[in-house]
Amino acid sequence: MQITDLVIIGAGPAGMAAAATAANVGLHVILLDEQPRPGGQIYRDVDRVAPVRGEMLGKDYTDGLSLTAGLDHGNITHISGAVVWAIEEGIRVLYTADGRGGAIEAKRILIATGALERPMPLPGWTLPGVMTAGAAQILLKQSGVLSKNAVLVGSGPLLYLIASQMIRAGTSPLALVETQTQADLLRALPHLGGALRGWRYLLKGLTMLSEIRRAGVRRYTSATNILIEGETAAEDIRFTADGKTRHIPCDTVLLHHGVVPNTQAARSIDVAHHWDARQHCFVPNLDDWGGTNVETVHIAGDGAGIGGAKVAALAGRLAALKMAADLGAISTIERDDTAKPIRRSIAQELAVRPFLDKAFPPAIEATKPVDATIICRCEEITAGDIRRHAGIGCAGPNQAKAFSRAGMGPCQGRYCGLTVSNLLAEANSATMDETGYYRIRPPLKPVTLGELAEMGGSVNSATN
Amino acid sequence: MKTASSFLELEERRRLVPVWFEGGELQLPEGSNLAAAMLAAGVGTFRYTPVSGAPRAPFCMMGACFDCLVDVDGVTRQACMLEVTEGLRLSMPRKGRNVIDADN
Amino acid sequence: METDFAIIGGGVVGLSVAWGLLKRGKRVVVLDGGDGSFRASRGNFGLVWVQSKGIKQPRYAAWSQQSAAAWAGFADELSDATGHDMSLEQTGGYDLHFSGETLTKTVAQYEELKAKLDGNYPYDVLDRKALLTEEPEIGPKVVGAILHHQDGHVNPLKLLRSLADDVRRLGGRVLNEKTVTDVRKSDVFTISCADGSHVQADKVILSAGLGAMELGPKLGFKAPIRPQRGQVMITEKLPKIINRPSLIARQVDEGGVQIGATNEEVGLNDGVTQPGLSGLASEAVAAYPVLAKAQLVRSWGALRILSPDGLPIYQESPEMTGAFLVTCHSGITLAAAHARFLPDWLEGTNVAPNLEVFSEDRFVIS
């Protein structure tokens, strides 16, 4: 068992910023991350990639270099390739790395596990060739791999970013099939005032849109009846737009309609969550510093609610300050003084969010899919299965999981949880908070029985 | 082994090393992300599901969806969480269709 | 709302009894808990099991045997009604042994029980070699096993779902998300729920698992039950590697290997722990070494509902005639008995099973 002041789970912007902040005031930090190199998804592999493709990926990506540089500190131990599978008693983190189990006991834990793509169950979404837009980003950033014949589907600025990066790389997407409507934009307009405070983001969006237009990439909006077809892989996509049925042959379909907090680790230790109606996702109940109902555990970054990379780094610093003060490394006065400008920056960065949330809402046909659509990729359970189980008494997702197997596969419900809760809430005429979410248990990620056995234990512990 | 890939790989100077998948040899860039390298090399199907036998390939590329599972030395692992090493021997997970065959 | 029988608890025990009563034309209302209630029905190991039960009380062994024998017919009837198979397999099960000493001792106990059951206790002792021909993946540390031919297993979640489905189909009314706060009796029983709703019934069955700890005394029962935690885990789907179930591991119909279970006195805590899971993993890998490379995908803690001697309790309330306590920790094994035979006991017919040894009279409150 290793002992330290602070364990941080996740080396994305929140985790890296928190590590540097905590280390600078004297805390000993162990930073655990699944990837071989730091950066998270947004700055994936930035140290190695920035010199190779930094220009194409833009400043928003290369900005990550300043965060990775902050990890070069004597107080920080970065354990890469470390997969956290359990958190116990709010102070113990269990992980595997290189096929061996490890355990760390810490005074404080920061969960900085980021976001996941919002599940987008459309007919055909399990076919090879269908990926998340985030996956396309990761392929491009880390590996320099791009799809040659791709259609981008869904809603949100990430689609425009990917499209513009593909155009710059010389492989324009075939089309953008967007689900947001003119009515969504009208609903978003009252929030434009706030958004103008975050004018840099709006300007960036407009620049990308004109880049897409100049490249001659066709955009369809208000798309409905989206269907991905193919025998053993995606071959084409069908949809309705402007009252016409469209059909585009393609090799790759990239799905995106927003990202949602990855709440698996927090839920596994009973951190309370609530439904955020504006962001259409569950978020943890947090105080001003990212503190949870588990006293020793804080959460920062997109896992605390979607704010993007800049907000994540700022929130990581805030949480680190709070924990440093709790542990006596700094005074509360120093904590509060340092926090003030950080809070101002966060407010500035978040100004654009209400506009984006309204303008690019989740695609309804993917949050409430038709009966035949697979919603649990692992166990291949359909939306109809869940609706039928609501009819035999499933008020919440845990009974539905027992009845249907949805959420029982290796992904632990990461890509079906929100859909199952949505379907049950609709079928039972209940709110999302009444319906709830899967109870998440270890292992957060699969661990082999061999690794587990080597950690030592007993089947008859009288107390524990 | 299928070589026509629907993916384009931007020039990166890395040494190509042999990796075996389902008995066929692939030449993949050493140290690169395994799932990405397999896609770029034209691998279309990574596995067949143990439930229905449906083909699957990488979906999330960030270790969350478990669709890119491959068998490495008898252990099911996520290809998107591995790096290419010389001589790596991969197969589709041993589960899958044989479970269904055994049951029916 | 009025009914013949109100059943408090919509797990496998309550639904099995409800199903049996509905088949006899009774009107039944089931009051079930919420999505997050403690539910042994969702967390159990899925064995339909005879061996090792009732070593000290042959009547329990016989009751388990009677249920195991009725299981196939019960499963067929449920499957025909719902269109869902429950993956029942009753081709025997193992008690695996890592030492000759424990094996010999267990055989001696079984022989004693067998004599009390008039010889109806069909089992074979398999040495390592014989076991290997049945279970090729068995590990070198296993010296032998007892193969009991009346043992088997079922998919307990499919059982729960089929009961939930068919009870409704048969006209049973199942009320979800109910917390029963009080039960009173005048001419009829009035059951009050936390949400302000009431149910009136001629008879009441308390089959609320651990909920009976609190509700039991209100109905005049001793209900001396306690939770005992069992941690259980399951692997990714694997090709067939285990033929028959054992108390250590069984391969479920979907392909995963389920491994269980710890025995822990930790109160109402249904969590899992690294030492618990590691202990289970060690035992499973010792039994089937091939499992060392299998990925664990899920684990959970479930709370057994244990009486002081581990046997079921079937008791009519001495204070409120018409109120019955039905509780056990083997709701899966006993599901067929609860569906087929318990209704006779509840109605006091002349073919009612003799369940005297399972009454609360056996517990002296000190």
Side-chain angles (χ1 to χ4, degrees):
Chain A
M1 178 95 63
Q2 304 165 77
I3 309 236
T4 192
D5 294 322
L6 170 63
V7 170
I8 298 173
I9 305 170
M16 291 191 291
T21 305
N24 282 332
V25 295
L27 296 189
H28 289 93
V29 181
I30 297 181
L31 176 61
L32 298 173
D33 190 69
E34 294 180 349
Q35 292 296 326
R37 286 167 296 276
Q41 307 311 335
I42 192 83
Y43 305 128
R44 176 77 85 103
D45 221 353
V46 64
D47 290 341
R48 191 185 61 81
V49 172
V52 189
R53 283 186 285 288
E55 206 165 322
M56 181 208 303
L57 294 168
K59 186 171 173 305
D60 282 342
Y61 175 72
T62 52
D63 275 354
L65 289 170
S66 65
L67 289 168
T68 55
L71 298 182
D72 187 15
H73 191 293
N75 284 355
I76 300 175
T77 308
H78 173 209
I79 305 179
S80 60
V83 180
V84 171
W85 67 271
I87 304 171
E88 296 191 332
E89 318 276 328
I91 52 164
R92 214 159 37 249
V93 178
L94 302 161
Y95 66 95
T96 57
D98 289 332
R100 298 290 303 270
I104 305 168
E105 202 157 291
K107 297 183 184 115
R108 289 290 183 277
I109 295 172
L110 178 68
I111 296 174
T113 50
L116 295 169
E117 287 272 356
R118 178 189 302 281
M120 198 164 174
L122 294 171
W125 76 311
T126 55
L127 285 166
V130 182
M131 307 175 95
T132 66
Q137 275 269 288
I138 292 164
L139 281 171
L140 173 59
K141 286 175 195 165
Q142 182 178 29
S143 309
V145 168
L146 293 124
S147 172
K148 287 186 255 185
N149 294 296
V151 175
L152 277 54
V153 180
S155 72
L158 181 65
L159 293 179
Y160 308 140
L161 174 62
I162 292 175
S164 63
Q165 286 173 336
M166 291 176 84
I167 292 163
R168 267 174 261 161
T171 57
S172 295
L174 302 175
L176 272 70
V177 176
E178 301 177 46
T179 55
Q180 82 281 353
T181 64
Q182 196 64 30
D184 293 325
L185 186 61
L186 290 177
R187 272 192 286 272
L189 285 179
H191 301 279
L192 193 57
L196 290 172
R197 285 173 61 209
W199 59 271
R200 277 189 200 85
Y201 288 102
L202 289 183
L203 182 62
K204 207 178 299 167
L206 293 171
T207 314
M208 289 187 301
L209 282 175
S210 50
E211 208 173 340
I212 291 165
R213 200 165 35 240
R214 277 200 308 278
V217 177
R218 183 78 192 263
R219 282 180 63 204
Y220 302 89
T221 55
S222 311
T224 56
N225 302 316
I226 304 166
L227 172 67
I228 304 156
E229 296 174 312
E231 278 295 310
T232 57
E235 291 167 16
D236 62 62
I237 180 163
R238 284 177 193 277
F239 58 96
T240 307
D242 307 324
K244 286 189 200 127
T245 301
R246 314 274 176 171
H247 168 239
I248 308 174
C250 58
D251 293 329
T252 306
V253 175
L254 301 174
L255 303 177
H256 173 79
H257 61 154
V259 297
V260 295
N262 176 0
T263 59
Q264 302 288 115
R267 285 184 182 278
S268 78
I269 51 170
D270 297 328
V271 167
H273 287 69
H274 67 273
W275 181 252
D276 181 328
R278 184 168 65 78
Q279 295 199 332
H280 304 275
C281 60
F282 285 106
V283 296
N285 300 355
L286 301 174
D287 65 20
D288 284 352
W289 303 94
T292 72
N293 53 302
V294 180
E295 200 194 342
T296 47
V297 175
H298 284 65
I299 303 175
D302 274 354
I306 303 306
K310 300 270 188 242
V311 173
L314 293 164
R317 291 178 59 198
L318 276 187
L321 291 170
K322 174 65 164 47
M323 294 184 286
D326 287 354
L327 298 177
I330 57 173
S331 71
T332 53
I333 296 167
E334 193 179 343
R335 175 195 73 188
D336 294 348
D337 287 350
T338 319
K340 260 178 215 151
I342 298 177
R343 290 191 194 283
R344 274 197 297 275
S345 302
I346 288 177
Q348 172 87 24
E349 291 289 335
L350 286 178
V352 73
R353 287 282 152 187
F355 174 79
L356 294 179
D357 291 332
K358 287 285 181 203
F360 302 104
I364 289 168
E365 61 187 68
T367 54
K368 288 161 186 169
V370 295
D371 278 356
T373 308
I374 287 177
I375 55 104
C376 166
R377 301 174 64 90
C378 297
E379 297 290 338
E380 301 181 51
I381 308 302
T382 66
D385 291 330
I386 301 301
R387 291 192 178 103
R388 271 189 293 282
H389 290 127
I392 55 169
C394 292
N398 292 295
Q399 192 82 338
K401 178 178 177 180
F403 280 18
S404 70
R405 297 189 62 79
M408 284 195 183
C411 101
Q412 315 273 24
R414 284 171 174 83
Y415 283 106
C416 70
L418 277 180
T419 317
V420 169
S421 292
N422 261 318
L423 290 169
L424 290 174
E426 187 188 36
N428 294 321
S429 303
T431 65
M432 288 299 273
D433 281 320
E434 284 162 353
T435 304
Y437 196 77
Y438 291 136
R439 175 165 178 190
I440 304 300
R441 304 242 201 192
L444 294 169
K445 286 278 183 86
V447 46
T448 68
L449 294 191
E451 290 162 348
L452 201 51
E454 277 179 22
M455 295 174 209
S458 150
V459 294
N460 287 308
S461 47
T463 55
N464 204 302
Chain B
M1 184 119 305
K2 184 185 160 193
T3 49
S5 173
S6 49
F7 291 88
L8 168 81
E9 199 171 14
L10 303 176
E11 178 89 31
E12 248 191 86
R13 295 213 181 88
R14 288 203 184 195
R15 187 169 79 104
L16 295 179
V17 295
V19 167
W20 280 268
F21 177 64
E22 288 288 289
E25 189 183 325
L26 303 169
Q27 288 289 328
L28 305 183
E30 188 174 34
S32 63
N33 181 284
L34 179 62
M38 286 170 70
L39 284 174
V43 176
T45 297
F46 279 48
R47 67 180 184 114
Y48 294 95
T49 67
V51 178
S52 72
R56 290 286 168 89
F59 175 71
C60 79
M61 286 303 294
M62 53 184 276
C65 77
F66 292 81
D67 264 322
C68 66
L69 294 175
V70 290
D71 184 304
V72 188
D73 289 332
V75 179
T76 320
R77 315 261 323 253
Q78 295 169 288
C80 76
M81 302 297 280
L82 296 172
E83 293 191 342
V84 172
T85 54
E86 185 165 357
L88 197 58
R89 287 185 180 272
L90 312 165
S91 58
M92 292 191 185
R94 60 202 183 282
K95 17 278 167 186
R97 283 177 167 166
N98 48 358
V99 174
I100 291 157
D101 292 344
D103 280 355
N104 296 335
Chain C
M1 192 177 281
E2 279 180 36
T3 186
D4 297 331
F5 282 88
I7 299 181
I8 304 172
V12 164
V13 174
L15 290 174
S16 300
V17 178
W19 187 84
L21 289 167
L22 287 162
K23 287 274 174 182
R24 287 159 191 248
K26 300 296 171 193
R27 294 180 302 158
V28 177
V29 171
V30 179
L31 295 113
D32 194 19
D35 193 55
S37 304
F38 291 123
R39 287 183 183 274
S41 295
R42 283 200 316 231
N44 72 86
F45 201 61
L47 298 179
V48 176
W49 210 249
V50 168
Q51 70 170 312
S52 80
K53 286 181 178 167
I55 298 281
K56 291 179 186 154
Q57 177 48 270
R59 180 72 190 104
Y60 181 38
W63 181 237
S64 300
Q65 287 176 316
Q66 208 182 335
S67 193
W71 240 104
F74 168 62
D76 282 348
E77 201 173 329
L78 259 183
S79 299
D80 288 347
T82 61
H84 292 295
D85 181 52
M86 283 182 290
S87 309
L88 175 70
E89 272 186 9
Q90 292 182 290
T91 56
Y94 302 109
D95 181 18
L96 301 176
H97 284 267
F98 296 97
S99 96
E101 200 180 327
T102 62
L103 179 58
T104 319
K105 199 177 139 206
T106 309
V107 170
Q109 286 177 332
Y110 284 11
E111 278 303 303
E112 213 174 299
L113 183 57
K114 186 173 187 171
K116 291 177 188 161
L117 295 168
D118 299 329
N120 175 24
Y121 206 66
Y123 74 89
D124 285 301
V125 179
L126 305 188
D127 64 10
R128 199 182 145 68
K129 195 174 156 211
L131 182 57
L132 274 170
T133 63
E134 300 289 321
E135 301 288 337
E137 296 293 347
I138 214 82
K141 289 180 183 161
V142 180
V143 299
I146 300 172
L147 169 60
H148 198 296
H149 300 289
Q150 291 172 329
D151 289 336
H153 61 153
V154 69
N155 185 317
L157 298 179
K158 289 182 178 173
L159 167 64
L160 180 65
R161 182 183 66 184
S162 297
L163 283 169
D165 189 353
D166 209 30
V167 159
R168 285 171 172 83
R169 203 183 303 261
L170 294 169
R173 282 171 294 171
V174 185
L175 312 176
N176 296 109
E177 310 252 359
K178 294 289 179 188
T179 305
V180 173
T181 51
D182 200 18
V183 180
R184 289 173 190 276
K185 189 184 178 188
S186 49
D187 288 350
V188 294
F189 286 93
T190 301
I191 299 163
S192 309
C193 299
D195 61 4
S197 61
H198 302 275
V199 174
Q200 294 200 315
D202 293 334
K203 293 185 175 180
V204 173
I205 298 166
L206 179 57
S207 55
L210 293 168
M213 289 163 72
E214 203 181 318
L215 280 175
K218 292 184 181 174
L219 281 91
F221 299 109
K222 295 172 188 163
I225 51 173
R226 70 172 201 280
Q228 185 192 61
R229 183 170 71 189
Q231 298 186 40
V232 182
M233 55 194 204
I234 193 158
T235 69
E236 61 186 323
K237 293 176 172 69
L238 299 169
K240 193 82 177 160
I241 57 169
I242 298 177
N243 291 317
R244 292 194 186 94
S246 74
L247 294 164
I248 293 175
R250 70 183 191 99
Q251 190 157 17
V252 305
D253 52 302
E254 292 99 353
V257 172
Q258 188 169 354
I259 297 160
T262 61
N263 297 85
E264 301 166 276
E265 304 292 336
V266 291
L268 292 172
N269 173 350
D270 69 348
V272 296
T273 65
Q274 178 269 315
L277 298 179
S278 291
L280 291 175
S282 297
E283 200 171 63
V285 169
Y288 305 95
V290 67
L291 288 177
K293 291 189 171 186
Q295 298 278 10
L296 168 70
V297 293
R298 283 184 292 131
S299 74
W300 61 93
L303 300 176
R304 297 180 183 89
I305 299 110
L306 280 189
S307 64
D309 58 10
L311 271 52
I313 301 173
Y314 302 112
Q315 174 75 49
E316 182 166 8
S317 170
E319 292 172 22
M320 287 188 190
T321 310
F324 300 87
L325 174 63
V326 175
T327 185
C328 66
H329 109 266
S330 295
I332 306 301
T333 300
L334 295 177
H338 291 161
R340 296 282 202 220
F341 314 129
L342 207 64
D344 280 312
W345 177 78
L346 292 165
E347 296 200 83
T349 71
N350 56 6
V351 293
N354 182 349
L355 301 174
E356 261 176 48
V357 301
F358 302 119
S359 85
E360 289 195 326
D361 295 346
R362 68 189 198 268
F363 308 120
V364 180
I365 293 194
S366 52

